Amino acid sequence: MAQNENTQNTYLTFRLGTEIFAASIDKAVSIIEVPEIIKVPRSPSYMKGIINVRGTVMPVIDARMKFGMKPIEIKKRTVIVTFRVDIEGENVDVGALVDEPGAVIQIKKEQIMNRPDIGSKYKSELIVGAFTHNEQFIMLVDIDKVFTLDELTEINDSKEEHSLEEHIEAESHK
Amino acid sequence: MDKILAILIFATVFPLSATIYRLISGRTIVYQIVIFPLSMLGIGVSVMYASYVYSGMLSFIISTILAVILIIIGLILARRLAIRYINSQVKSMWTSDLSKQSGTEEFIDFFIELDSRTAKLKRKEEDTAKLRKDISSMTTEIEQKISGAVERFTQQGHVIHNILRANSSIIRLLKENAENAEDIAGSAKRSAVKIDVNNKNVQKSVLTLRSIISKIKFIDDLSFQTNILALNASIEAAKAGQNGKEFAVVASSIQKLSEKSKKSAAEIDKISQSGIQLSERTGRISAQIVPDIKTTAKQITKIAETTKKQHQEAEILSYTIAHLETEISHFTETTQDINRMIQELTDLVRSYETQGGLKTSFKDDNESEFYSDSDFEANSNLSNVAFSDDEFTDNEFTDDSTSPKNE
């Protein structure tokens, strides 16, 4: 059992444009349908706004823009994947808009290829590896890096500028 | 010499002139009664004179007596001859005997007149015979022509009868046509109504398919939500580690189910869409058909009306032709009557020829003393009608009209 645990990791897959990405299941919290997104003034373009998920207010980012793709259009299949990321030792709930949810899959560690093999189509620092599953090429994403500190700082900057966001942030911290 | 010449002249002039006169005028009766005695007298006188010149008194007296006797004999002979001739002539014309006539001058005048009239009558008879012949030939010609006309009329009657029969069959066909056209128009109208109903049904089916599509969308949404739920369950199961493994299986099977329902929903959606397209196309086509059928029905109704009118016209035509047929049969009958009449006329003319027209005509004239003016007028009218310019001219009749005055 211990060996199995070591050799296999569980991932959550999702689609961005035409590409399939995978993120570690440990970081994922839930998948939700897109609720009403409250826009936040003076926030970066990839930040779509804030949402309220069962009493928890969290920021929502456009994952496609994070990967240097075209801004997302909210469609029927569009969902928000919520992650619990570690920012400066703090666990913060963040939502990412993806085109379509995938599945929960288990991949052996040997299957995962190293980053330099993938090329530099997307912001390569976000991609940690890649693998094929059911003849589908899937890229492995480091979710913590996606919500990097400086970007969160930007979020924080915007929070500093707006008392409302401060208030929300304060609430989330509580 | 002179004496001999005188005697010869005396002896020859009278008989010679008499002969010439007879030859020129052709009047036998005058010659017989007047010229013959005169020539006899001439001969007698010349004999008398010759005997006086050559033989003396005694022979003169004897020859005078001889001449007187000769003259007397000649006169008696001439009179007898004349009376006989007249009797023969008059008996043939009149029953009365004219031998009792007295007065030689009147008698001679009468005979001159009679002679000329007889000659005229002969000519007239010849003319009448010619006329009769002409009439006969004409009547035969007319008869032929009329019989030809009768034949043609009969043929016309046959032709018209055939036309009538053809027309009656045309009337029957037109009637059938009108009925058929009405039937077609009725069925076209009915089919237009049916197609209208069809169209409405197609529209209804389109609506039904649309509602199916909306329901399918709901199913699709449901499968999407189920998928999300299953994913969430899978995430939770993965986080639970070994304990959540069985739950993870359930979650993944739920996800598979939702995937399946999504696929079927998509298929149903596709099928429904194509169904809608088909129905809409059908609806469009039948919507185009309906006005076409309606116009067809209208046109056929028009045809039916026109055929009815034609039927009426044909009936009128039939009536007219029947009328014409009766008219032609009447005409044929009339022509046949005319033909019969002409045949009768021909028979009559022929009977005249065989019986001899003169006798009968004179018998008819018996009541009149001689030729009455009215008769001649009638004759002249007849002749004028028959031959407008012929020997029977007016001057002849003027002679005739004067002659009774001489009587």
Side-chain angles (χ1 to χ4, degrees):
Chain A
M1 285 293 273
Q3 267 190 336
N4 277 346
E5 266 190 1
N6 290 331
T7 52
Q8 278 195 334
N9 277 335
T10 312
Y11 297 99
L12 174 70
T13 63
F14 52 88
R15 186 170 61 82
L16 290 175
T18 51
E19 307 293 338
I20 308 289
F21 295 90
S24 174
I25 201 83
D26 302 328
K27 297 290 176 184
V29 177
S30 66
I31 294 158
I32 54 164
E33 284 183 73
V34 181
E36 196 193 351
I37 299 167
I38 300 152
K39 283 191 173 163
V40 179
R42 291 188 130 199
S43 53
S45 56
Y46 58 81
M47 193 171 139
K48 285 288 164 186
I50 52 167
I51 53 165
N52 189 339
V53 185
R54 290 185 285 272
T56 310
V57 175
M58 57 179 81
V60 176
I61 62 143
D62 185 344
R64 277 167 63 151
M65 282 178 86
K66 264 290 176 188
F67 286 93
M69 297 156 81
K70 279 181 188 170
I72 198 161
E73 290 169 49
I74 293 165
K75 285 182 182 168
K76 206 178 110 191
R77 303 259 173 227
T78 312
V79 289
I80 293 171
V81 184
T82 59
F83 295 101
R84 185 159 289 157
V85 291
D86 179 41
I87 304 166
E88 294 174 331
E90 273 187 88
N91 282 329
V92 181
D93 280 348
V94 198
L97 276 163
V98 299
D99 283 321
E100 200 180 343
V104 176
I105 53 166
Q106 288 186 319
I107 299 293
K108 285 173 187 169
K109 275 186 178 169
E110 307 93 80
Q111 283 182 285
I112 297 166
M113 294 174 282
N114 286 330
R115 181 168 45 119
D117 303 328
I118 320 155
S120 57
K121 193 180 174 186
Y122 306 105
K123 282 184 178 177
S124 52
E125 65 266 29
L126 302 178
I127 312 293
V128 290
F131 56 88
T132 32
H133 177 73
N134 293 344
E135 296 174 357
Q136 183 81 49
F137 184 76
I138 296 168
M139 282 172 280
L140 194 56
V141 178
D142 184 346
I143 280 297
D144 284 335
K145 274 187 183 167
V146 168
F147 302 96
T148 45
L149 187 67
D150 56 318
E151 276 161 345
L152 273 176
T153 314
E154 276 179 56
I155 297 166
N156 287 335
D157 287 347
S158 63
K159 273 195 286 183
E160 282 162 15
E161 278 169 24
H162 304 285
S163 55
L164 178 71
E165 279 171 358
E166 261 181 41
H167 173 70
I168 293 160
E169 190 62 36
E171 267 194 347
S172 71
H173 278 291
K174 279 172 198 173
Chain B
M1 230 14 224
D2 288 341
K3 286 166 192 169
I4 294 162
L5 200 75
I7 288 160
L8 276 171
I9 286 160
F10 263 108
T12 53
V13 158
F14 283 101
L16 210 75
S17 60
T19 318
I20 287 160
Y21 177 77
R22 192 184 168 177
L23 281 167
I24 289 163
S25 66
R27 289 178 175 178
T28 326
I29 185 84
V30 176
Y31 168 77
Q32 279 175 334
I33 295 165
V34 182
I35 309 298
F36 180 69
L38 275 173
S39 56
M40 289 295 277
L41 185 74
I43 291 161
V45 166
S46 59
V47 166
M48 272 163 64
Y49 188 66
S51 58
Y52 170 71
V53 169
Y54 295 105
S55 308
M57 217 37 210
L58 187 75
S59 65
F60 174 73
I61 290 159
I62 292 162
S63 67
T64 306
I65 290 159
L66 214 94
V68 166
I69 288 161
L70 264 168
I71 286 158
I72 287 160
I73 286 163
L75 279 170
I76 288 161
L77 214 83
R79 191 186 152 89
R80 194 167 286 174
L81 272 166
I83 283 164
R84 195 184 289 164
Y85 175 77
I86 288 156
N87 267 339
S88 73
Q89 285 288 317
V90 170
K91 264 181 188 169
S92 67
M93 292 181 241
W94 300 282
T95 44
S96 58
D97 195 357
L98 289 184
S99 58
K100 283 160 189 169
Q101 279 277 344
S102 59
T104 318
E105 277 175 42
E106 282 175 13
F107 192 74
I108 286 163
D109 279 347
F110 166 73
F111 277 111
I112 289 162
E113 185 58 35
L114 188 72
D115 192 46
S116 72
R117 286 203 175 198
T118 311
K120 272 183 189 172
L121 268 172
K122 265 185 180 171
R123 277 217 304 278
K124 276 188 185 172
E125 205 178 359
E126 280 165 13
D127 290 339
T128 319
K130 202 184 167 194
L131 191 69
R132 258 191 242 110
K133 215 177 248 173
D134 286 344
I135 287 165
S136 173
S137 68
M138 265 168 75
T139 47
T140 47
E141 205 179 320
I142 288 163
E143 213 179 308
Q144 278 171 3
K145 278 188 178 162
I146 279 172
S147 62
V150 165
E151 206 173 296
R152 274 200 291 279
F153 281 137
T154 331
Q155 277 173 357
Q156 272 180 5
H158 285 317
V159 168
I160 279 163
H161 190 70
N162 285 340
I163 289 167
L164 202 65
R165 223 165 50 197
N167 199 47
S168 67
S169 69
I170 286 165
I171 285 167
R172 207 182 58 240
L173 288 171
L174 281 173
K175 209 176 177 184
E176 278 175 20
N177 258 13
E179 282 167 5
N180 288 341
E182 273 175 353
D183 285 352
I184 291 163
S187 60
K189 275 175 189 166
R190 279 198 295 280
S191 52
V193 168
K194 276 173 188 169
I195 284 167
D196 256 345
V197 171
N198 232 21
N199 222 2
K200 274 167 192 163
N201 286 343
V202 165
Q203 280 166 359
K204 273 180 194 167
S205 74
V206 166
L207 286 175
T208 316
L209 284 168
R210 287 239 161 90
S211 69
I212 285 168
I213 284 165
S214 68
K215 293 277 155 39
I216 286 294
K217 268 173 190 159
F218 174 71
I219 288 164
D220 194 50
D221 289 348
L222 212 68
S223 74
F224 177 66
Q225 282 162 353
T226 314
N227 189 32
I228 288 168
L229 276 174
L231 269 173
N232 281 322
S234 296
I235 291 163
E236 291 302 322
K239 280 182 176 172
Q242 205 58 42
N243 299 328
K245 225 166 191 180
E246 281 166 20
F247 184 64
V249 173
V250 175
S252 71
S253 21
I254 288 167
Q255 200 188 352
K256 275 170 193 164
L257 280 173
S258 81
E259 201 69 32
K260 271 183 190 170
S261 63
K262 183 186 153 191
K263 271 181 189 167
S264 343
E267 273 169 28
I268 291 165
D269 187 69
K270 202 176 149 192
I271 291 160
S272 303
Q273 291 287 1
S274 64
I276 282 172
Q277 277 179 1
L278 273 172
S279 301
E280 277 173 349
R281 211 182 298 159
T282 313
R284 271 203 303 277
I285 288 162
S286 50
Q288 283 169 349
I289 288 166
V290 166
D292 282 354
I293 286 171
K294 274 175 184 169
T295 47
T296 310
K298 268 183 195 168
Q299 278 163 352
I300 288 164
T301 320
K302 267 184 195 168
I303 288 166
E305 279 168 13
T306 316
T307 317
K308 265 183 190 169
K309 274 179 194 163
Q310 278 177 340
H311 180 242
Q312 285 168 2
E313 292 292 323
E315 271 182 346
I316 289 164
L317 184 66
S318 186
Y319 175 76
T320 316
I321 290 165
H323 191 66
L324 190 67
E325 199 183 19
T326 52
E327 285 295 314
I328 278 174
S329 66
H330 282 321
F331 203 49
T332 314
E333 278 169 24
T334 315
T335 318
Q336 277 166 346
D337 286 347
I338 288 165
N339 200 23
R340 206 177 57 243
M341 281 154 85
I342 279 166
Q343 272 176 344
E344 279 172 14
L345 189 67
T346 316
D347 291 346
L348 206 68
V349 168
R350 272 180 196 144
S351 72
Y352 267 95
E353 269 175 358
T354 49
Q355 283 173 18
L358 255 175
K359 273 180 187 171
T360 48
S361 70
F362 273 106
K363 263 173 193 168
D364 288 337
D365 287 340
N366 209 9
E367 288 164 20
S368 61
E369 284 182 279
F370 211 71
Y371 290 94
S372 68
D373 286 344
S374 58
D375 259 350
F376 269 100
E377 274 165 21
N379 280 340
S380 75
N381 286 340
L382 244 171
S383 64
N384 277 336
V385 170
F387 314 91
S388 54
D389 48 351
D390 223 305
E391 299 104 307
F392 275 82
T393 42
D394 287 353
N395 59 347
E396 286 242 20
F397 290 102
T398 45
D399 281 347
D400 290 331
S401 59
T402 48
S403 52
K405 280 171 196 169
N406 291 343
E407 248 183 302

